[in-house]
Amino acid sequence: MAKIRLHEICHGRSGDKGDAANAGIIAYKKEDYELIREKVTAEVVKKYFEGIVLGKVERYEMPNINALNFVLHNTLGGGGTVSLKNDAQGKTIASALLMMEIDV
């Protein structure tokens, strides 16, 4: 079984919603959306960000735009105005997620 990184088949965006980070990954092709829908679950994302995401991870499917959106709760150290984290607005979360390897 081969492995690929998500950035080979997707692009992404992320930001903050208070203390939660919001990360969306968008597949370039419909067939790749089906692959990420199967492989990139909320549980997989929670494990991938172990030690960073301290709360639950919720996943929302948007098949009309080949996208998955993740809300990573309790991730930003209180949020932009009170956090001492380097990335208090969660802008790098999608980039980090796109480095995840999946089996194909």
Side-chain angles (χ1 to χ4, degrees):
M1 188 170 291
K3 289 188 179 287
I4 61 166
R5 291 191 188 268
L6 289 176
H7 70 79
E8 296 176 51
I9 59 172
C10 300
H11 61 100
R13 294 257 319 162
S14 58
D16 66 311
K17 302 289 180 239
D19 189 35
N22 180 60
I25 56 172
I26 305 100
Y28 296 122
K29 300 176 185 172
K30 182 67 174 172
E31 59 268 21
D32 292 332
Y33 171 72
E34 297 303 328
L35 179 65
I36 64 170
R37 191 171 150 265
E38 175 189 339
K39 301 285 185 174
V40 188
T41 64
E43 295 77 20
V44 167
V45 171
K46 170 87 172 165
K47 183 168 175 44
Y48 184 72
F49 286 110
E50 188 174 11
I52 296 170
V53 176
L54 304 178
K56 68 180 178 176
V57 172
E58 295 176 289
R59 182 178 92 164
Y60 299 93
E61 298 179 7
M62 294 174 278
N64 58 321
I65 60 168
N66 299 331
L68 299 175
N69 187 62
F70 296 91
V71 179
L72 294 71
H73 293 275
N74 196 9
T75 299
L76 301 175
T81 59
V82 297
S83 179
L84 296 176
K85 293 192 172 208
N86 286 335
D87 183 20
Q89 284 83 33
K91 299 297 184 186
T92 62
I93 296 291
S95 294
L97 185 56
L98 290 172
M99 295 301 293
M100 178 190 289
E101 290 184 332
I102 60 171
D103 295 324
V104 292

